[in-house]
């Protein structure tokens, strides 16, 4: 057990072994808490492994409220990547390539041009690139594009590497990682008492629900969670010869560098917990990627995979305490932005567990914004 953590410290059980759960467990341990992480093992349908790893704070934030949180979340990774490399020796593949969101018609170009002005007014680095600018910077990028919003501080990382590094650092800090699935949150007299797993009970004064789309399958919660699994399919090809590293984005389609590969995405499909790839999905992804960069059309598919993203009705995550059950904390519903928000989610939950406060405005992310219901079986 690391220095500063005593057996008298409150015991925290974190449910979920993906990037969100690992980030929360690590952050709690950094603050001197005793932590058990319930991580039953890699699930091929889990969101972390199926993420492309975009840090698209200025591109994919769902609304003005989330934008400053997303930007702060992105900016954490510069220090976090270096810190994890120092403590674990693992490189999370952090790249600050910038993201170019392309416009293919005048209406979209006008909207992006106005968004550039809005983001600059908010103090963010953001540029409008004319079609000629695109070709000068990235030869071979969509010649049909009318221009692009360019966010130079956005980027990407390798989600699997991030998850491995967070777990390794959590273990270094004394987190007990149990390869067990959580089935029920135990509650007595209005507060949590622990978690029931497939192998027994894990007593805890605090429980953090960070199991993504699978949170809805955990019994004992005081309310149904409006989190649904949305399938995202991905494709990998070789990286186009001669194209400098860049992330290209349009609609739900994107292309980003990872090693010598291009990761192409993605679909947004409501198919329950079915996480397989489809011929139609792969074809659609490739078509959109070829629109962004025509050279992709000549590159064969190396592999394709899919995962389930936990999505809420308003596109925002659920973060913070349950209003009725003491010791129950939510860290779920991150949708397409789970990798982007993982680091800051860990910091928020760590601070809340240790002090009951956070300096991040999460007032609009409470589970209370959704109607409550009867406890789950």
């Amino acid at each position: 057990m690391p220095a500063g953590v005593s057996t008298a410290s409150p015991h925290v059980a974190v449910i979920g072994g993906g990037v969100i759960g690992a980030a929360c467990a690590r952050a709690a341990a950094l603050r001197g808490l005793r932590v058990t992480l319930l991580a039953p093992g890699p699930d091929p349908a889990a969101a972390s492994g199926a993420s492309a790893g975009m840090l698209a704070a200025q591109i994919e934030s769902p609304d003005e409220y989330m934008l400053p949180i997303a930007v702060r979340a992105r900016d954490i990774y510069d220090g976090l990547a270096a810190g994890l490399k120092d403590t674990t020796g693992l490189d999370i593949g952090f790249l600050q390539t910038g993201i170019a969101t392309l416009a293919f018609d005048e209406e979209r170009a006008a909207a992006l041009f106005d968004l550039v002005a809005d983001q600059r007014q908010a103090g963010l680095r953001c540029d409008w690139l004319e079609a000629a600018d695109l070709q000068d910077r990235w030869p071979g990028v969509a010649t049909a594009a009318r221009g692009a919003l360019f966010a130079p501080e956005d980027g990407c990382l390798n989600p699997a590497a991030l998850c491995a590094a967070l777990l390794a650092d959590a273990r270094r800090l004394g987190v007990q990682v149990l390869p067990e699935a959580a089935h029920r949150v135990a509650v007595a007299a209005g507060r949590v008492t622990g978690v029931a797993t497939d192998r027994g009970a894990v007593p805890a004064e605090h429980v953090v629900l960070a199991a993504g789309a699978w949170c809805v399958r955990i019994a004992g919660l005081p309310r149904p969670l409006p989190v649904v699994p949305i399938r995202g399919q991905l494709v990998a090809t070789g990286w186009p010869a001669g194209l400098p590293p860049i992330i290209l984005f349009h609609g739900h389609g994107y292309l980003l560098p990872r090693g010598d590969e291009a990761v192409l995405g993605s679909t947004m499909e409501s198919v329950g917990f079915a996480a397989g790839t489809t011929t139609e999905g792969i074809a659609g992804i490739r078509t959109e990627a070829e629109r962004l960069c025509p050279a992709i059309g000549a590159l064969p598919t190396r592999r394709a995979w899919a995962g389930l993203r936990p999505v809420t009705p308003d596109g925002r995550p659920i973060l913070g305490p349950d209003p009725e059950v003491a010791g129950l904390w939510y860290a779920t519903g991150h949708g397409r932005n789970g990798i982007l928000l993982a680091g800051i989610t860990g910091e928020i939950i760590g601070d809340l567990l240790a002090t009951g406060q956070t300096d991040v405005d999460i007032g609009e992310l409470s589970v209370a914004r959704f109607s409550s219901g009867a406890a789950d079986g």
Side-chain angles (χ1 to χ4, degrees):
M1 186 170 294
V5 180
S6 74
T7 55
S9 299
H11 184 204
V12 178
V14 179
I15 301 173
V19 290
I20 300 295
C24 291
R26 173 182 176 271
L30 277 170
R31 289 157 176 79
L33 302 175
R34 291 183 299 131
V35 184
T36 297
L37 177 62
L38 299 170
D43 190 316
S48 296
S51 170
M54 275 196 301
L55 305 176
Q58 293 175 235
I59 306 299
E60 283 209 286
S61 295
D63 51 50
E64 291 183 4
Y65 169 77
M66 285 300 300
L67 179 60
I69 297 175
V71 169
R72 181 169 170 179
R74 177 198 65 195
D75 294 346
I76 282 176
Y77 278 105
D78 195 17
L80 182 59
L84 290 172
K85 183 70 178 293
D86 287 343
T87 58
T88 70
L90 298 175
D91 185 344
I92 66 171
F94 173 63
L95 297 174
Q96 203 166 43
T97 58
I99 299 180
T101 301
L102 276 58
F104 289 95
D105 57 57
E106 291 301 331
E107 182 179 0
R108 181 60 175 158
L112 289 178
F113 189 86
D114 289 343
L115 185 56
V116 168
D118 291 342
Q119 292 205 359
R120 284 182 167 181
Q121 180 111 21
L124 301 174
R125 289 183 61 196
C126 194
D127 299 309
W128 172 253
L129 302 180
E130 298 289 349
D133 299 327
L134 287 172
Q135 294 303 315
D136 287 344
R137 293 187 184 213
W138 306 290
V141 164
T143 54
R146 305 297 180 89
L149 177 155
F150 181 54
E153 296 184 349
D154 279 359
C156 62
L157 54 77
N158 185 324
L162 173 63
C163 194
L166 289 171
L167 285 171
D169 208 38
R171 286 189 172 97
R172 178 187 69 85
L173 292 164
V175 173
Q176 181 185 24
V177 181
L178 297 182
E180 301 178 21
H183 297 309
R184 174 183 290 273
V185 173
V187 178
R191 72 165 303 116
V192 298
T193 60
V195 178
T197 76
D198 50 2
R199 298 185 184 178
V202 178
E205 291 93 334
H206 298 275
V207 172
V208 179
L209 201 60
W214 284 265
C215 286
V216 299
R217 292 186 167 181
I218 296 173
L221 301 181
R223 66 195 70 247
L225 293 180
V227 176
V228 297
I230 298 296
R231 182 170 68 190
Q233 300 185 49
L234 295 166
V235 173
T237 69
W239 185 256
L243 178 65
I246 180 58
I247 302 169
L248 304 175
F249 190 92
H250 174 72
H252 289 314
Y254 52 79
L255 175 156
L256 62 81
R258 185 181 298 170
D260 66 345
E261 292 188 329
V263 176
L264 322 176
S266 174
T267 60
M268 292 283 286
E269 304 167 86
S270 182
V271 291
F273 282 86
T277 59
T278 65
T279 302
E280 296 78 11
I282 293 169
I285 289 168
R286 288 195 58 104
T287 297
E288 186 62 25
E290 188 173 349
R291 189 182 190 194
L292 293 168
C293 179
I296 289 293
L299 299 173
T301 295
R302 292 184 177 181
R303 65 186 185 283
W305 66 105
L308 303 174
R309 300 173 176 124
V311 176
T312 64
D314 60 11
R316 298 173 175 178
I318 301 173
L319 284 177
D322 187 273
E324 298 174 6
V325 176
L328 179 59
W329 307 86
Y330 297 94
T332 188
H334 293 75
R336 283 168 61 109
N337 289 314
I339 301 300
L340 169 65
L341 297 173
I344 200 167
T345 295
E347 294 301 302
I348 290 167
I349 295 297
D351 284 343
L352 289 172
L353 290 168
T355 69
Q357 298 180 324
T358 173
D359 66 352
V360 181
D361 175 16
I362 60 169
E364 297 184 28
L365 303 182
S366 170
V367 71
R369 71 186 189 269
F370 304 110
S371 59
S372 60
D376 177 13

